[in-house]
Amino acid sequence: MTIKILKGNIIHAPSSDKLSVHKDSFLVSNDGKIEGVYQEIPEKYKDIDISDKGNSLIIPSFCDMHLHASQFYQRGIGMDRPLLDWLETYTFPNEARFSDSEYARRVYEEFIEEIIRHGTLSCAIFATVHYEATHILLELLEKKGINAFVGKLNMDNNCPDYIREDTMQSYLDTERFIVEHKDYQTAKPIITPRFSPSCTEDLHQKLGLLADKYNTPVQSHLCESIPEIEWVKQLFPSYKNYGEVYAKNRLLGNVPTLMAHCIELNDDEIELMKNENCIAVHCPDSNINVSSGIMPAEYLMRNNIKVALGSDIGGGHSVALYRTMASAIQTSKARKYAYNDSGHLTVAQVLYMATTVGGSFFGRLGNFNEGYDFTALVIDDSNICGFEMEPEERLERFLYIGDDRNIKERYIKGVYIAI
Amino acid sequence: MTIKILKGNIIHAPSSDKLSVHKDSFLVSNDGKIEGVYQEIPEKYKDIDISDKGNSLIIPSFCDMHLHASQFYQRGIGMDRPLLDWLETYTFPNEARFSDSEYARRVYEEFIEEIIRHGTLSCAIFATVHYEATHILLELLEKKGINAFVGKLNMDNNCPDYIREDTMQSYLDTERFIVEHKDYQTAKPIITPRFSPSCTEDLHQKLGLLADKYNTPVQSHLCESIPEIEWVKQLFPSYKNYGEVYAKNRLLGNVPTLMAHCIELNDDEIELMKNENCIAVHCPDSNINVSSGIMPAEYLMRNNIKVALGSDIGGGHSVALYRTMASAIQTSKARKYAYNDSGHLTVAQVLYMATTVGGSFFGRLGNFNEGYDFTALVIDDSNICGFEMEPEERLERFLYIGDDRNIKERYIKGVYIAI
């Protein structure tokens, strides 16, 4: 038994309707798993040392459920282009560089350091089509103990020749990627067709077979923008809608599935996502930056779709998921203003998305309920705290104006992570 | 003659259509005024020492043309409330504290340190109704050499008794504030009716007389939200529209005038703002946070209204005007998506708003044209620069993901400002 007790102002979001706030309380874990949150320390822990974090906030670490690690150097530039144009001009040439494994190692090392600095200790990542570079990324994440799903990209259609895969090679490399990393502990493979337009029907089918065979989860993009949906209609005329292109090929719901964006889902696709228990990943900054639209996140959640949060580096500009949470609230207000949406997202909802929903993809992770991983951040906001405030107000303020300097400590399964 | 030469990658926006970019060039100033930007150093400066900033960017400092210094401690909290509710719940009780001058001094000292840290070296500020506290703020800004217009708030209507002014006292205090600070050099008084609903018609008239008598500029809020406009209609039924409440009382255009927000201007008010040469101040984060709407900034600029930029602390959450620039681009994209606006704001346009337009309120300030103040920032973005990029792309990236740590040096009229 290795019991650890942290004292501070504990906030988590086991449900979306209300923050769970425990002022001056004790967070007790045993072997990296939460035992409980207590106002008074129970008798049985009386002899255990307490690590007192004073007036700090203690919150679950962030789960960034959609991002392209290969676009790390690209974030914050080219934001004047819409999605498909942005891919051609910036993204494909940038991704081609990852054929150089040493270049890949450098970018991915910097990337991992930066997400940890900003409190993201769990994530689902798109890499590139390159086997070796993606292996390096997965291995680096494993060494750091980061909970990660890492996808070697699949792309055999509608892209420049210099990064197009042969269909059979794409299938074989993906199988090899799954098999060779099956014993990794925290970083694991995920099947990653870039999006339907960049994969032939044949490749969709082959990847579906792999998902089934190895019970490997899937991630992709779905209904990000109107021009993209029109394009999918032209490319796959025999399918009823975009969602069905994945679903009929066993890439949506047969295994745990993440679908990024979901801005323009039609009613059939909403039913599909809900019935198949898929997670829609909301990327508010990316929605706006590449002019795709704004996900109706509050509406989808009200319709019982699970919605997680993603930075979507490099369509999104910031790896700081706390700021992405503020952006999710802001863009939901923009939608409310423009479309008379009935409500906007709350702090409780965005924390729930960024921790409990995202964390559920990894197991019992994302909040401080009993039996969950003790994976958490200690936030010292004294430099931005003018007057006395309640912990929930301080959390809100951290989302809007805090930064990595306020994140003082990081824990994964009870282990302190140095940066 | 005190000639100063800085070498680096110089970017400014003397016009809104295109950034003026000078790679590896020389910025020459004399007695705090710009002489010119040169690719090669002219013969006459050959003997002057050059301060080489290496690969850094050199840009004009930021002009934050609408913010409430008294709401500094309040930023980033209560963002779940719409404007009028937010005023009652958070803002009025907070502002009441500024009757305590020592409290005011503490908040204002922290506020000034923070804006300088983030590169805002010129600003137009709303304080509170309190004479002494506002005097302290103006004096602190003057001592730091910050270009500032500081307004003692006027408010004799529709607010809690504990911060309501007597009409005559409000007039007398304002006159005293103008007279007692007339010899200050960089920080100056500005007449500041909070907004029409919080001033009686009598107070509007009296403030208009003062503006005329002392040729003192004016700032206020205009057409921020639909409920506010409806309220003004009820309060001032004899006026054609909200803009006219100010204009007929000599508070719009008779003297240089800043009007914050201008989200819902009607055609008559657009004509009025244009004909009177007023500056509309766009506060994109505040627009969204307090659910007011989104200013059609691109449309107003196309219709020849001068649009500056404001953080609007505390409706806006961040004093970082570079991030407000990114938000202005983002919210213009949200508008484009929702309303089919014809275009969105560009990096050139937001830099123009944040420097050249805002700076014009102070004189020859805001860009590096000959004769302008040498008031500038040196930006070292090496920690966020992955691969080789052009200066304009690096500026874009700084707006989106840079922070105060990247701002290495600050100059006002050629004088280095320590923080």
Side-chain angles (χ1 to χ4, degrees):
Chain A
M1 288 234 305
T2 52
I3 291 177
K4 194 167 249 156
I5 304 178
L6 265 61
K7 182 170 185 292
N9 297 296
I10 298 158
I11 308 182
H12 61 141
S15 75
S16 67
D17 53 336
K18 197 170 172 302
L19 292 171
S20 179
V21 180
H22 308 265
K23 211 169 169 176
D24 291 329
S25 295
F26 302 88
L27 180 65
V28 180
S29 66
N30 186 354
D31 273 344
K33 298 280 179 196
I34 301 291
E35 298 251 301
V37 179
Y38 306 97
Q39 185 68 52
E40 301 289 334
I41 201 75
E43 191 56 39
K44 62 177 172 177
Y45 305 124
K46 283 288 187 206
D47 297 334
I48 313 286
D49 278 350
I50 291 167
S51 178
D52 191 342
K53 305 303 171 192
N55 198 31
S56 291
L57 304 177
I58 302 171
I59 65 173
S61 69
F62 308 127
C63 306
D64 189 341
M65 300 311 286
H66 181 69
L67 68 91
H68 299 255
S70 51
Q71 295 168 20
F72 180 64
Y73 275 9
Q74 206 188 312
R75 68 203 196 283
I77 57 169
M79 304 275 81
D80 54 342
R81 313 258 179 166
L83 173 61
L84 301 177
D85 182 9
W86 173 83
L87 280 173
E88 293 283 343
T89 312
Y90 286 92
T91 306
F92 290 149
N94 168 42
E95 289 188 8
R97 295 184 176 205
F98 287 76
S99 61
D100 174 352
S101 297
E102 281 319 297
Y103 174 77
R105 182 179 298 279
R106 176 158 67 86
V107 176
Y108 288 151
E109 279 174 347
E110 283 182 35
F111 159 76
I112 292 168
E113 189 183 310
E114 190 74 358
I115 62 169
I116 294 174
R117 185 188 307 285
H118 286 277
T120 293
L121 306 181
S122 316
C123 49
I125 304 180
F126 284 54
T128 62
V129 293
H130 310 95
Y131 185 96
E132 185 59 26
T134 310
H135 161 73
I136 290 168
L137 172 59
L138 192 148
E139 206 170 54
L140 289 169
L141 288 158
E142 173 85 1
K143 273 189 193 148
K144 277 284 185 184
I146 300 291
N147 290 293
F149 284 99
V150 179
K152 191 208 82 58
L153 219 56
N154 299 103
M155 176 156 64
D156 70 339
N157 205 9
N158 293 311
C159 60
D161 286 342
Y162 59 82
I163 45 168
R164 187 198 316 266
E165 295 179 294
D166 168 75
T167 306
M168 184 52 77
Q169 195 62 50
S170 179
Y171 167 78
L172 292 173
D173 282 356
T174 303
E175 183 162 33
R176 182 183 155 213
F177 191 73
I178 294 168
V179 172
E180 296 212 350
H181 300 98
K182 72 178 165 42
D183 296 330
Y184 282 62
Q185 295 302 303
T186 69
K188 294 167 189 293
I190 184 167
I191 293 172
T192 307
R194 179 172 213 129
F195 66 152
S196 284
S198 61
C199 297
T200 58
E201 190 175 27
D202 185 18
L203 185 53
H204 278 81
Q205 288 169 356
K206 285 185 163 60
L207 296 177
L209 292 175
L210 289 179
D212 265 1
K213 182 173 174 187
Y214 296 102
N215 195 27
T216 303
V218 169
Q219 63 180 353
S220 194
H221 300 83
L222 178 63
C223 295
E224 183 171 359
S225 75
I226 301 285
E228 176 207 16
I229 292 169
E230 295 298 323
W231 196 19
V232 171
K233 261 189 203 148
Q234 288 167 22
L235 292 168
F236 300 91
S238 67
Y239 292 83
K240 210 172 64 184
N241 56 47
Y242 192 167
E244 208 186 53
V245 180
Y246 296 123
K248 283 215 166 167
N249 289 297
R250 312 183 67 71
L251 290 167
L252 190 152
N254 295 61
V255 291
T257 306
L258 298 168
M259 282 290 160
H261 303 309
C262 299
I263 296 172
E264 307 283 359
L265 297 181
N266 66 26
D267 290 346
D268 288 345
E269 290 165 321
I270 289 177
E271 279 303 299
L272 182 66
M273 289 287 289
K274 181 165 58 187
N275 296 338
E276 298 294 343
N277 204 24
C278 299
I279 294 180
V281 188
H282 181 27
C283 308
D285 278 317
S286 165
N287 283 191
I288 293 290
N289 287 343
V290 294
S291 295
S292 304
I294 304 173
M295 186 211 236
E298 197 271 338
Y299 174 82
L300 295 181
M301 289 171 81
R302 219 170 344 108
N303 282 274
N304 299 309
I305 289 185
K306 292 199 261 182
V307 182
L309 213 59
S311 67
D312 194 18
I313 295 300
H317 51 271
S318 170
V319 300
L321 212 67
Y322 45 92
R323 200 70 93 249
T324 308
M325 285 187 239
S327 287
I329 295 173
Q330 288 193 303
T331 56
S332 74
K333 287 178 179 173
R335 267 198 74 93
K336 188 180 169 193
Y337 172 65
Y339 299 103
N340 291 310
D341 278 11
S342 64
H344 62 75
L345 294 172
T346 63
V347 172
Q349 281 174 316
V350 297
L351 185 65
Y352 176 72
M353 292 159 74
T355 57
T356 293
V357 180
S360 70
F361 205 73
F362 300 91
R364 305 192 76 183
L365 175 73
N367 60 55
F368 299 141
N369 283 351
E370 190 185 344
Y372 276 59
D373 282 358
F374 168 41
T375 294
L377 308 174
V378 177
I379 312 280
D380 176 353
D381 61 347
S382 51
N383 73 318
I384 50 173
C385 255
F387 37 60
E388 197 68 28
M389 284 191 302
E390 292 305 308
E392 51 268 52
E393 291 174 309
R394 292 168 50 196
L395 173 66
E396 182 184 20
R397 171 130 83 177
F398 169 70
L399 302 186
Y400 281 92
I401 66 167
D403 65 32
D404 54 292
R405 288 168 282 195
N406 298 111
I407 304 177
K408 296 297 182 193
E409 297 179 17
R410 297 149 186 87
Y411 295 89
I412 299 178
K413 294 180 181 139
V415 178
Y416 177 88
I417 306 295
I419 57 164
Chain B
M1 288 232 308
T2 53
I3 292 177
K4 194 168 249 155
I5 305 179
L6 266 60
K7 182 170 185 292
N9 297 296
I10 297 157
I11 308 182
H12 61 141
S15 74
S16 68
D17 53 337
K18 197 171 173 297
L19 292 171
S20 179
V21 181
H22 307 266
K23 211 169 167 174
D24 291 328
S25 295
F26 302 88
L27 180 64
V28 180
S29 66
N30 188 354
D31 272 343
K33 298 279 177 195
I34 301 292
E35 297 252 301
V37 179
Y38 306 97
Q39 185 67 53
E40 302 289 334
I41 199 76
E43 192 56 40
K44 61 179 171 173
Y45 305 124
K46 284 289 187 206
D47 297 334
I48 312 287
D49 279 349
I50 292 167
S51 177
D52 191 343
K53 304 303 170 192
N55 198 32
S56 291
L57 305 176
I58 302 171
I59 64 175
S61 69
F62 308 127
C63 306
D64 189 341
M65 300 311 285
H66 181 68
L67 67 91
H68 298 256
S70 51
Q71 296 168 19
F72 180 65
Y73 275 9
Q74 206 189 313
R75 68 203 195 285
I77 56 169
M79 304 275 80
D80 54 342
R81 313 259 178 165
L83 173 61
L84 301 177
D85 182 9
W86 173 85
L87 280 173
E88 293 283 343
T89 312
Y90 286 93
T91 306
F92 290 149
N94 169 42
E95 289 188 7
R97 295 183 176 205
F98 287 77
S99 61
D100 173 351
S101 297
E102 280 319 298
Y103 175 78
R105 181 178 298 279
R106 176 157 68 86
V107 176
Y108 287 150
E109 277 174 349
E110 283 183 34
F111 159 77
I112 292 168
E113 188 182 310
E114 190 73 358
I115 62 169
I116 294 174
R117 185 188 308 284
H118 286 277
T120 293
L121 306 181
S122 316
C123 48
I125 303 179
F126 283 54
T128 61
V129 294
H130 310 94
Y131 184 96
E132 184 58 26
T134 310
H135 161 73
I136 288 168
L137 172 60
L138 192 149
E139 204 170 55
L140 288 168
L141 288 158
E142 172 86 0
K143 273 189 192 148
K144 277 283 185 186
I146 301 290
N147 289 293
F149 283 99
V150 179
K152 191 208 83 59
L153 218 57
N154 299 102
M155 176 157 65
D156 70 340
N157 204 9
N158 293 309
C159 60
D161 287 342
Y162 59 81
I163 46 169
R164 187 197 316 265
E165 295 180 295
D166 168 76
T167 306
M168 183 53 76
Q169 193 63 48
S170 180
Y171 166 78
L172 291 174
D173 281 355
T174 304
E175 182 163 33
R176 179 178 157 217
F177 191 72
I178 294 167
V179 172
E180 295 211 354
H181 300 97
K182 71 178 166 41
D183 295 330
Y184 282 62
Q185 294 301 304
T186 70
K188 293 166 190 292
I190 184 167
I191 293 172
T192 306
R194 180 174 212 126
F195 67 153
S196 284
S198 60
C199 297
T200 57
E201 191 176 26
D202 184 18
L203 184 54
H204 279 82
Q205 287 168 355
K206 285 184 162 59
L207 296 176
L209 292 175
L210 289 179
D212 265 0
K213 181 172 174 188
Y214 295 103
N215 195 27
T216 302
V218 169
Q219 62 180 353
S220 195
H221 299 83
L222 178 62
C223 295
E224 182 171 2
S225 75
I226 301 285
E228 176 207 17
I229 292 168
E230 294 300 321
W231 195 20
V232 170
K233 259 188 205 152
Q234 287 167 24
L235 292 168
F236 301 91
S238 67
Y239 291 83
K240 209 171 63 181
N241 55 47
Y242 192 167
E244 207 185 55
V245 180
Y246 296 122
K248 284 214 166 165
N249 289 297
R250 311 184 68 73
L251 290 168
L252 191 152
N254 296 60
V255 290
T257 307
L258 299 168
M259 283 290 160
H261 304 309
C262 299
I263 296 173
E264 309 282 0
L265 296 181
N266 66 25
D267 289 347
D268 287 346
E269 288 165 321
I270 288 177
E271 278 304 299
L272 182 66
M273 288 287 290
K274 183 166 57 187
N275 295 339
E276 297 295 342
N277 205 24
C278 298
I279 294 180
V281 188
H282 180 27
C283 307
D285 277 317
S286 165
N287 282 191
I288 294 289
N289 288 343
V290 293
S291 294
S292 304
I294 304 174
M295 185 211 237
E298 198 271 337
Y299 174 80
L300 294 181
M301 288 170 80
R302 216 165 351 102
N303 282 274
N304 299 310
I305 289 186
K306 290 199 261 180
V307 181
L309 213 58
S311 67
D312 195 18
I313 297 298
H317 51 273
S318 171
V319 300
L321 212 68
Y322 44 92
R323 199 70 92 247
T324 308
M325 284 186 240
S327 288
I329 295 174
Q330 289 194 303
T331 55
S332 75
K333 287 178 180 174
R335 267 199 74 94
K336 189 180 168 192
Y337 172 65
Y339 299 103
N340 292 310
D341 277 12
S342 65
H344 61 76
L345 294 172
T346 63
V347 172
Q349 282 174 315
V350 296
L351 185 65
Y352 176 73
M353 292 158 74
T355 56
T356 294
V357 179
S360 71
F361 204 71
F362 299 92
R364 306 193 76 184
L365 174 73
N367 62 54
F368 299 142
N369 282 351
E370 190 185 344
Y372 276 60
D373 282 359
F374 169 42
T375 294
L377 308 174
V378 177
I379 313 280
D380 175 354
D381 61 346
S382 51
N383 72 319
I384 50 172
C385 254
F387 38 60
E388 197 66 30
M389 284 192 300
E390 293 304 308
E392 49 268 52
E393 292 174 309
R394 291 169 51 198
L395 174 67
E396 182 184 19
R397 170 130 82 177
F398 169 70
L399 302 186
Y400 281 92
I401 65 166
D403 66 30
D404 54 292
R405 289 168 282 195
N406 298 112
I407 304 176
K408 295 299 182 191
E409 295 178 19
R410 297 151 185 85
Y411 295 89
I412 298 178
K413 293 181 184 142
V415 178
Y416 178 88
I417 305 296
I419 58 165

